[in-house]
Amino acid sequence: MIRHGQSCANVEKFFAGHLNSPLTALGVRQAELTAQYIFRHYQVDCVYASDLDRAYMTGKAVADLFGLPVTKEPCFREIYAGQWEGEPYESLPKRFSETYCVWLTDIGHAVCDGGESVAILQNRVVEAMERICRNNPDKTIVVATHATPIRTFQCH
């Protein structure tokens, strides 16, 4: 699992969630360097990616080096953050003080206002990963995704 390169949302410091924030020039370079590292150290059989551009383009950088297609997998999207999406990080503690406090202190129980819970996100990521692994036995798989899906899968 690899996280996408730097996105415009990262630079502009807002919660992207399902918003389609593109990679910055640095993010494109990070994706290229990650792809080169993977190409030098692994034999990859298939590449999956979130269907959001920032992760898809990161996965495509890997796939292109191996001459592989990228399979878009919406289950690897970042958390659907509801009312938090597009909000500057600095405004979250003010506008959503209780729920954002849970995000910072007990993320396993966090639910974005009007969005999905971290637990639901984890379920969709785990189910997709298990399905992909069942369908690709004995293969090396690259999944390009986002921070929260990676963290929840690591916890699983």
Side-chain angles (χ1 to χ4, degrees), residues 126-147:
V126 169
E127 287 173 6
M129 190 66 83
E130 288 175 346
R131 173 177 36 82
I132 288 166
C133 289
R134 273 193 313 274
N135 293 338
N136 295 282
D138 302 318
K139 292 184 179 176
T140 301
I141 304 163
V142 168
V143 173
T145 185
H146 309 268

